[in-house]
Amino acid sequence: MSSTMQNKASLPVIKRLPKYYRYLSNLQADGRDKISSSELARMMGTTASQVRQDFNCFGGFGQQGYGYNVRTLLSEIKSILALDREHSVVIVGAGNIGHALTNFEGFASAGFKVLALFDVNPELVGKEIKGRPVYASSELEDFIRTHDVDIGVIAARRSAAQGIADRMVQAGIKGIWNFVPIDLVAAVPIENVHLNDSLSELSYKIEHGVLND
Amino acid sequence: MSSTMQNKASLPVIKRLPKYYRYLSNLQADGRDKISSSELARMMGTTASQVRQDFNCFGGFGQQGYGYNVRTLLSEIKSILALDREHSVVIVGAGNIGHALTNFEGFASAGFKVLALFDVNPELVGKEIKGRPVYASSELEDFIRTHDVDIGVIAARRSAAQGIADRMVQAGIKGIWNFVPIDLVAAVPIENVHLNDSLSELSYKIEHGVLND
């Protein structure tokens, strides 16, 4: 991608890109060759004009009327999302969530490689979780520096999370995937997975009968 | 909550409620008694007028100028989110994610009780995961009916997910928490946790240097 193109993509467009990617992956898995903007829009609950507008942010892709080639479009979006190259990952917090993420299918399918976990619990340090070593939390910075780690997953205690983020950033991490229910502050991109928020929203929707999203 | 109040809350307001709840929970944990709308707004990265407008959807809560009582406000929002009563939960798919969710702290802290897991794998059926029984997937509807289950978590295979959702709804489930990377269709509220989408968005932000959210 040229640097001029990214400037055209607003946050709502950026947020829709992974969804396009997911739908196109599923279409390709189902053996589809072509898809029109209107059919893609219908599947995704949006409009054909929205789809074309979104894709125009990245230079278009394929012809209107004739439809998009699924494989080409998927590969273009994959490249824009930078999912066409390997990312290295460390996970801090080898508890419940950290443990599950070690084997998260989505990492492998997106070319993300979990190198190691870190924990403060001496009973976990030195062990392996699904083939990955668990190191002492104090070794985090050194590891990030020597292995040029791209992404730090934070699945630690709430009180420790901001400190971990600070140390990650100082050691040169490029982005943070946060599973702790606080909004971290950092000078690198952060994605929060606030499971409690999602559960609370579901609870509200059930109580008040809210169906749509 | 009266039924007239819910009609005033638009989806963006609903989506902010869990965030208010999270910040107020943290404030209470830190021993804070009072908070002004402007301080709460600053913490949450919004404006005081937005906070007051949001709260007005639910009848106000407390006085402007003097600030809000943290405990009262927390308890009001907890009630609006229906987190002040017990919910029963079943998890379909006893794999990596289903396993981790069985012990998810957020369930306990929100009064959600995981009653059982369901799986098609005969090697898992009959076993226990963290004290919860794993039943055969075929027993799902009966269990939901006899135990009047509120929430169904779907952490199964992509190809099975929509079928499971259909069966849950038919058996009387009240809401679905979906961890499968497809958008399910159902006549009850659904909350999707699309981990792959979140990871793709992080990848994009790192590649293109997008910091804010």
Side-chain angles (χ1 to χ4, degrees):
Chain A
M1 292 297 353
S2 77
S3 61
T4 52
M5 282 184 184
Q6 60 165 297
N7 297 328
K8 290 191 220 158
S10 66
L11 201 64
V13 182
I14 294 170
K15 289 197 170 293
R16 278 193 294 271
L17 274 181
K19 198 171 166 181
Y20 287 119
Y21 184 70
R22 176 156 50 85
Y23 274 86
L24 289 163
S25 299
N26 291 345
L27 281 168
Q28 177 163 277
D30 295 343
R32 281 289 301 270
D33 289 332
K34 290 264 174 198
I35 182 101
S36 67
S37 49
S38 53
E39 190 183 352
L40 188 54
R42 202 164 41 240
M43 289 172 67
M44 288 186 46
T46 180
T47 65
S49 119
Q50 173 81 83
V51 169
R52 288 191 296 263
Q53 215 176 304
D54 285 352
F55 290 176
N56 278 338
C57 296
F58 302 98
F61 321 128
Q63 295 150 281
Q64 285 177 217
Y66 189 68
Y68 300 98
N69 178 300
V70 171
R71 200 167 53 86
T72 312
L73 186 54
L74 186 61
S75 132
E76 294 264 17
I77 295 180
K78 186 173 189 169
S79 156
I80 292 167
L81 290 171
L83 297 176
D84 54 352
R85 56 184 186 77
E86 233 180 48
H87 291 85
S88 55
V89 177
V90 293
I91 299 174
V92 180
N96 205 23
I97 302 275
H99 200 112
L101 289 172
T102 309
N103 244 11
F104 173 53
E105 281 173 35
F107 276 140
S109 64
F112 288 59
K113 219 171 152 179
V114 178
L115 301 184
L117 294 95
F118 293 83
D119 207 287
V120 288
N121 183 351
E123 283 180 30
L124 292 171
V125 174
K127 299 245 163 72
E128 282 198 353
I129 291 180
K130 293 160 189 168
R132 272 70 153 220
V134 182
Y135 296 122
S137 219
S138 54
E139 300 177 56
L140 179 63
E141 289 98 321
D142 268 359
F143 190 93
I144 292 173
R145 283 198 192 98
T146 51
H147 293 77
D148 196 20
V149 178
D150 297 308
I151 290 171
V153 177
I154 302 185
R157 259 175 251 282
R158 177 170 87 88
S159 58
Q162 183 62 55
I164 293 165
D166 294 344
R167 291 169 52 205
M168 283 178 166
V169 172
Q170 224 166 357
I173 210 96
K174 298 180 187 75
I176 291 173
W177 205 23
N178 173 41
F179 284 78
V180 177
I182 58 169
D183 294 320
L184 300 172
V185 180
V188 299
I190 302 178
E191 263 290 304
N192 295 301
V193 179
H194 285 325
L195 293 175
N196 288 73
D197 289 16
S198 172
L199 194 58
S200 299
E201 193 177 324
L202 180 60
S203 179
Y204 178 95
K205 287 177 176 170
I206 292 172
E207 179 72 12
H208 301 274
V210 180
L211 274 180
N212 56 323
D213 204 278
Chain B
M1 291 290 11
S2 78
S3 61
T4 52
M5 283 186 185
Q6 60 166 293
N7 297 328
K8 290 192 221 156
S10 66
L11 200 62
V13 181
I14 294 170
K15 289 196 171 295
R16 279 193 294 271
L17 274 181
K19 199 170 164 181
Y20 286 119
Y21 184 70
R22 177 157 49 84
Y23 274 85
L24 290 162
S25 300
N26 290 345
L27 281 168
Q28 177 162 277
D30 295 343
R32 282 289 301 269
D33 289 332
K34 290 264 175 198
I35 183 105
S36 67
S37 49
S38 52
E39 190 183 352
L40 187 56
R42 205 165 36 241
M43 290 173 66
M44 288 187 45
T46 178
T47 65
S49 118
Q50 173 80 83
V51 169
R52 288 191 296 262
Q53 215 177 304
D54 285 351
F55 290 176
N56 278 336
C57 296
F58 301 99
F61 321 128
Q63 295 150 279
Q64 284 177 219
Y66 190 67
Y68 300 98
N69 178 301
V70 170
R71 200 169 53 85
T72 312
L73 187 53
L74 188 61
S75 133
E76 294 264 17
I77 295 180
K78 187 173 188 170
S79 157
I80 292 167
L81 290 170
L83 296 176
D84 54 352
R85 53 186 188 75
E86 234 181 47
H87 291 85
S88 55
V89 177
V90 294
I91 299 175
V92 179
N96 204 23
I97 302 275
H99 200 111
L101 289 172
T102 309
N103 243 10
F104 173 51
E105 282 173 33
F107 275 139
S109 65
F112 288 60
K113 219 172 151 178
V114 178
L115 301 183
L117 294 95
F118 294 83
D119 207 287
V120 289
N121 183 350
E123 284 181 29
L124 291 172
V125 174
K127 297 244 164 73
E128 281 198 353
I129 290 181
K130 292 160 189 169
R132 273 69 154 221
V134 183
Y135 296 121
S137 218
S138 55
E139 300 177 55
L140 179 63
E141 290 96 321
D142 268 358
F143 190 93
I144 291 173
R145 283 199 192 94
T146 51
H147 293 78
D148 195 20
V149 178
D150 298 308
I151 290 171
V153 178
I154 303 185
R157 259 176 250 281
R158 177 170 87 89
S159 57
Q162 182 62 55
I164 293 165
D166 294 344
R167 291 169 52 205
M168 283 178 166
V169 172
Q170 223 162 0
I173 209 96
K174 297 179 189 76
I176 292 173
W177 206 24
N178 172 42
F179 284 78
V180 177
I182 59 169
D183 295 318
L184 299 172
V185 180
V188 299
I190 302 178
E191 263 289 304
N192 295 301
V193 179
H194 285 325
L195 293 174
N196 288 73
D197 288 17
S198 173
L199 194 58
S200 299
E201 195 177 324
L202 180 61
S203 179
Y204 178 95
K205 287 176 176 170
I206 291 172
E207 179 72 11
H208 302 274
V210 180
L211 274 179
N212 55 324
D213 203 278

